Amino acid sequence: HPASFTSSMIMSADHPGLTFSLRLIRSEPTYNQPVQQWSFMSDFAVRDYSGTYTVKLLPCTTPSHQE
C-alpha cells in the first residue's frame, strides 16, 4: 500500500515542534537486502532530547529489471 507521508521524516511525540535533518551515512546497494545507515540531527537546540522517536523512511521502489 502507498505510504501516507510524502517524505522521509523523524518525529517525536515528546518534542512535537522539533524538526530534524536526515543524512545517509553508509549504503550497501545489494538489490535483495540493501543495508543503509542513517543519522538525524535536530534543527533546533533543546535542553533535553530524551523520549521516543519515530523514523519514517520513504522507500524508493523500482521494477525488478532496473538497477
Side-chain angles (χ1 to χ4, degrees):
H1 60 85
S4 59
F5 54 100
T6 58
S7 63
S8 297
M9 63 180 73
I10 311 295
M11 297 179 301
S12 170
D14 303 288
H15 308 282
L18 279 185
T19 57
F20 300 89
S21 299
L22 269 168
R23 184 166 66 99
L24 180 62
I25 301 290
R26 183 175 63 90
S27 182
E28 295 177 12
T30 59
Y31 188 81
N32 289 329
Q33 293 183 338
V35 175
Q36 294 180 334
Q37 181 179 1
W38 291 83
S39 73
F40 64 95
M41 183 178 296
S42 174
D43 295 328
F44 303 98
V46 294
R47 186 176 300 237
D48 182 7
Y49 288 96
S50 63
T52 301
Y53 293 85
T54 301
V55 179
K56 290 189 174 185
L57 297 176
L58 185 68
C60 177
T61 57
T62 59
S64 59
H65 62 276
Q66 290 184 346
E67 291 186 3

